[in-house]
Amino acid sequence: LVFGCSYLANISQNILKSLKGITIFAFFIFIIQILFYKSGEVAFYLIPGKNYLPITFEGISFGIMIALRAMIVLLSFNIFLATTKTTDMMTTFVENLKIPYDYAFMFVTALKFIPTFLEEAAKIAEAQKARGHKLEGLSPFKKIKAYAPLAIPLVLISLKKGERLALAMETRAYG
C-alpha cells in the first residue's frame, strides 16, 4: 500500500532511496526485539554450550512485526513530507489541531531542515572519501568509529545554521 501510494504520488524514487536506511534501522529493531523478548518457546541459544541468550519463536515473530511496523511508519512519514506543503502543515497544526503556533513552527522548521541536513551529510561524506577516508568493508564497531570525521563537521554545520536561523528570527522580532 505504501509503495502504491508513492507510485501514485510520483515519488517512488524518493521512497526507494530511503528504503536502504530504513531497512537497516528496521533490522536493528528486529535484533533488539529478538534479544530481549524472553517469553515463549526457545528456538535456539546464541551461546549454545551454556544455554545463554535464548531466542524464542515468539520473539522472532514479534521482532519481524515491530520491524515491519517501523518501516511502514517511516515510509508513510516520508510520503507525507514529500507530498505536503509546509504552509498546509502549519495551517492544519494551528487551526485544526489547535497546536500552539510556536510548537507548530518549531516542528515544521525542523522538517524543512531534514533535506538540507541530508545534503550536507552527503557532501561531507564525499569530501572525506576524496581524502581517502573509508567506510565500506569495515566491521560494525569500526564503522561507528569511522563516522566521527563525518559527524563532527555535520554537527558544527547544523549548529551554525541553527544560530543563523535564531539570529534571523531575532532580527524580525519573532517571540
Side-chain angles (χ1 to χ4, degrees):
L1 188 60
V2 170
F3 290 114
C5 289
S6 69
Y7 179 76
L8 290 175
N10 203 17
I11 57 165
S12 55
Q13 293 296 341
N14 296 351
I15 297 298
L16 291 176
K17 285 180 187 176
S18 65
L19 191 61
K20 180 183 176 188
I22 291 173
T23 304
I24 292 169
F25 176 71
F27 178 74
F28 282 119
I29 288 176
F30 170 74
I31 295 298
I32 289 169
Q33 291 299 320
I34 65 169
L35 288 176
F36 293 107
Y37 196 92
K38 298 297 181 197
S39 63
E41 184 182 342
V42 175
F44 61 92
Y45 292 95
L46 281 182
I47 302 175
K50 296 184 178 185
N51 290 345
Y52 188 65
L53 290 173
I55 306 298
T56 63
F57 289 114
E58 287 82 1
I60 294 170
S61 64
F62 189 72
I64 291 170
M65 181 180 64
I66 294 297
L68 288 176
R69 282 182 182 175
M71 288 180 72
I72 290 169
V73 167
L74 291 172
L75 289 171
S76 300
F77 192 66
N78 202 347
I79 291 171
F80 171 71
L81 291 178
T83 58
T84 308
K85 296 178 186 176
T86 54
T87 55
D88 294 341
M89 275 192 269
M90 281 294 291
T91 305
T92 303
F93 289 152
V94 173
E95 292 178 6
N96 297 350
L97 298 176
K98 306 295 184 212
I99 295 174
Y101 182 80
D102 290 340
Y103 296 127
F105 180 77
M106 189 172 36
F107 179 71
V108 171
T109 303
L111 290 179
K112 286 173 70 174
F113 274 112
I114 291 173
T116 307
F117 185 78
L118 293 175
E119 287 173 16
E120 290 292 336
K123 286 179 189 176
I124 293 169
E126 190 175 313
Q128 294 292 10
K129 282 182 186 176
R131 292 181 180 107
H133 186 71
K134 292 183 180 179
L135 290 175
E136 291 84 26
L138 297 175
S139 70
F141 295 110
K142 288 183 180 178
K143 206 173 228 185
I144 291 171
K145 188 177 179 182
Y147 272 104
L150 302 174
I152 293 170
L154 193 58
V155 167
L156 293 174
I157 288 170
S158 299
L159 288 173
K160 189 179 283 188
K161 286 185 187 235
E163 190 176 340
R164 284 186 197 143
L165 177 64
L167 184 62
M169 289 173 68
E170 272 184 41
T171 57
R172 292 182 178 98
Y174 182 84

